[in-house]
Amino acid sequence: MRLSEQQISQYESDGYVFPVPVLESAEVASLRAKLEAFEAKQGGRLTPSQRGKSFLLFEWLDALIRDPRVLDPVEQLIGPDILCWNTIFWIKDVGSRSFISWHQDTTYWGLSSRNVVTAWLALAPASVQAGCMKVMPGTHRGDVLPHEDTFDGDNMLSRGQTILDGVDETRAVHMPLAAGEMSLHNYRLAHGSGPNLSDDRRIGVSMHFMPPDTRQVVGGWDTAALVRGRDRGGHFELTPRPRFDMDPDCVAFHQRASKAMHEVLYAGAAKDTGKL
Ligand SMILES: O=C(O)CCC(=O)C(=O)O
């Protein structure tokens, strides 16, 4: 799957493009089943730290961040050398009040590049009713807007960071996705999502890709997976690859890597909620 010229120019001007088909329905059903079997084995849900940098924990997610159907469109947007900084599970159970406030990821990831792209893949239907992502077109081109830490318990973001002013809800664009489709957005773009009012879980996994000249400017040591081309920057420790789910060497590495990322996400915050 290649993005058309029109999709590339839409990404440049508006900051997003969707839907991009990635997985066949049998493939997405199999990945969802693997994730849900893992959740069931440990009482029904992922721990906060298992939500992030999870490509180190699950062999199938390590394969997904290297899948050409994900990377070919990403390469069209950020070039042939690609690092994956993070992956995050975004799961809203049926009947939960979980939501994601309007925010820009540049405010708390500590990454120097303007050119980080998030690929958000639906592992279950992400309809408007299910609380799919919504975006504010063009906001990736302006300054980062002021955010406030709200620490709202239902907000899935670590600090409940929320754009105070500058979001005109009437201009919001929803990005509904069928299971197996992904959206792509620039991490400077203002985005968020409402609660899941559907009768199925809303399960997504975001994959965050960056060019190797990116630096971590808030934390010290940080990690990334080299998923395509060469690491010409050398600013991140390259991660090992799990040979199977919960490969002990990678689980140990994940513990250190997610602790370092956690410190970046909470830098300067009034408190640590323990969320990712
Ligand atoms: O899952 C969502 O609705 C929001 C995800 C998000 O904030 C992100 O991928 O950066």
Side-chain angles (χ1 to χ4, degrees), residues 251-265:
V251 171
F253 190 96
H254 175 261
Q255 210 168 12
R256 290 194 296 126
S258 33
K259 183 167 178 292
M261 188 177 67
H262 193 84
E263 279 162 18
V264 169
L265 298 182

Side-chain angles (χ1 to χ4, degrees), residues 160-199:
Q161 58 270 37
T162 304
I163 295 173
L164 291 179
D165 212 359
V167 167
D168 173 2
E169 193 75 47
T170 62
R171 289 185 52 243
V173 174
H174 285 89
M175 300 200 294
L177 298 172
E181 291 178 338
M182 70 175 178
S183 56
L184 296 163
H185 73 265
N186 183 301
Y187 85 141
R188 296 175 59 86
L189 190 71
H191 59 287
S193 64
N196 177 8
L197 304 176
S198 78
D199 55 10

Side-chain angles (χ1 to χ4, degrees), residues 100-119:
I100 290 128
S101 54
W102 284 105
H103 67 285
Q104 290 163 298
D105 290 315
T106 7
T107 50
Y108 62 113
W109 286 0
L111 301 177
S112 62
S113 177
R114 293 180 70 91
N115 212 10
V116 179
V117 60
T118 291

